[in-house]
Amino acid sequence: MKKSILVVMSLIVLSSCQQQMKTGFVDNGKLINDYQKKKDIESKFKTKIDAFNQKADSIGKAFQLEVQEFQSKANSMGQKAAQDKYQVLSQKKQIQDYQLKAQEQQIQNEGQAKIDTLIKEVRSFVKDYGQKNGYTYILGSNDAGSVMYGKEENDLTQLLLDELNKSYKKE
């Protein structure tokens, strides 16, 4: 009798300890790239990059005109004056290149910071979604193969993308 009660109790304890694990996966690339907020960030930075490129082009063209003007006058200048003017133009070009490179780097850093923040936001969203919906694991799929196979019904990519875009529209 004691043995049968012990066996029944053991079975009850074992069966209650076995929780059903709920697992899903997300295509990281699709989730991030199709998120409307990322598209908006990219659009904003494309505008900044286009404006920067126009500015760089106009500075370059103005410098080219200055060089052409110098070249047309160089023959009538003395050798010393021509060398001095050439040196001034060279320094001016170096300063312009340095300034443009610094501005370009600033735009790139700002864009990367925005994307890094966006990725953290998406990770936090996925974590909250998993906790609220009883998931034990939500795995990320990528080209490196962290999820080599998953049943289609466990693919949460579109569901999470829709939820992300819905929450972004509310902002």
Side-chain angles (χ1 to χ4, degrees):
M1 179 80 170
K2 285 184 177 182
K3 285 185 180 183
S4 60
I5 291 176
L6 188 60
V7 168
V8 170
M9 291 296 283
S10 297
L11 288 175
I12 291 172
V13 169
L14 286 175
S15 66
S16 67
C17 289
Q18 292 181 353
Q19 296 178 2
Q20 191 68 10
M21 290 197 322
K22 191 172 177 183
T23 304
F25 68 94
V26 174
D27 180 337
N28 295 335
K30 180 174 174 35
L31 186 63
I32 296 292
N33 291 327
D34 290 351
Y35 183 21
Q36 187 60 47
K37 188 172 186 176
K38 180 178 187 270
K39 292 177 182 179
D40 291 348
I41 289 170
E42 286 176 338
S43 176
K44 178 183 173 186
F45 277 93
K46 183 179 181 336
T47 302
K48 279 187 173 188
I49 289 167
D50 290 347
F52 169 78
N53 287 337
Q54 284 181 335
K55 179 182 175 182
D57 287 347
S58 67
I59 288 172
K61 286 177 184 176
F63 184 77
Q64 281 300 95
L65 287 174
E66 195 173 345
V67 168
Q68 288 172 353
E69 184 182 322
F70 163 69
Q71 288 173 341
S72 68
K73 294 179 182 178
N75 292 336
S76 63
M77 300 172 97
Q79 185 176 359
K80 173 78 171 130
Q83 285 177 342
D84 289 345
K85 181 66 174 172
Y86 178 77
Q87 192 171 23
V88 167
L89 286 173
S90 293
Q91 288 175 345
K92 185 176 182 178
K93 178 68 172 151
Q94 286 177 345
I95 291 169
Q96 285 177 349
D97 289 348
Y98 177 78
Q99 289 173 338
L100 290 173
K101 188 71 173 169
Q103 288 175 355
E104 181 181 34
Q105 187 66 44
Q106 181 183 0
I107 292 170
Q108 286 177 349
N109 290 345
E110 187 180 340
Q112 189 59 50
K114 293 270 188 192
I115 295 298
D116 290 347
T117 300
L118 178 95
I119 290 170
K120 287 178 186 174
E121 178 186 313
V122 169
R123 284 182 181 160
S124 177
F125 185 89
V126 171
K127 179 181 177 184
D128 290 345
Y129 180 88
Q131 289 172 342
K132 288 177 187 173
N133 291 286
Y135 282 88
T136 307
Y137 298 102
I138 296 180
L139 307 171
S141 168
N142 59 33
D143 291 336
S146 60
V147 174
M148 301 293 282
Y149 168 77
K151 287 185 178 178
E152 199 165 313
E153 63 260 21
N154 294 335
D155 185 352
L156 305 174
T157 307
Q158 193 59 49
L159 177 70
L160 284 168
L161 182 60
D162 293 343
E163 291 293 320
L164 267 171
N165 285 328
K166 199 183 312 178
S167 71
Y168 175 59
K169 287 178 185 174
K170 290 179 183 176
E171 289 180 4

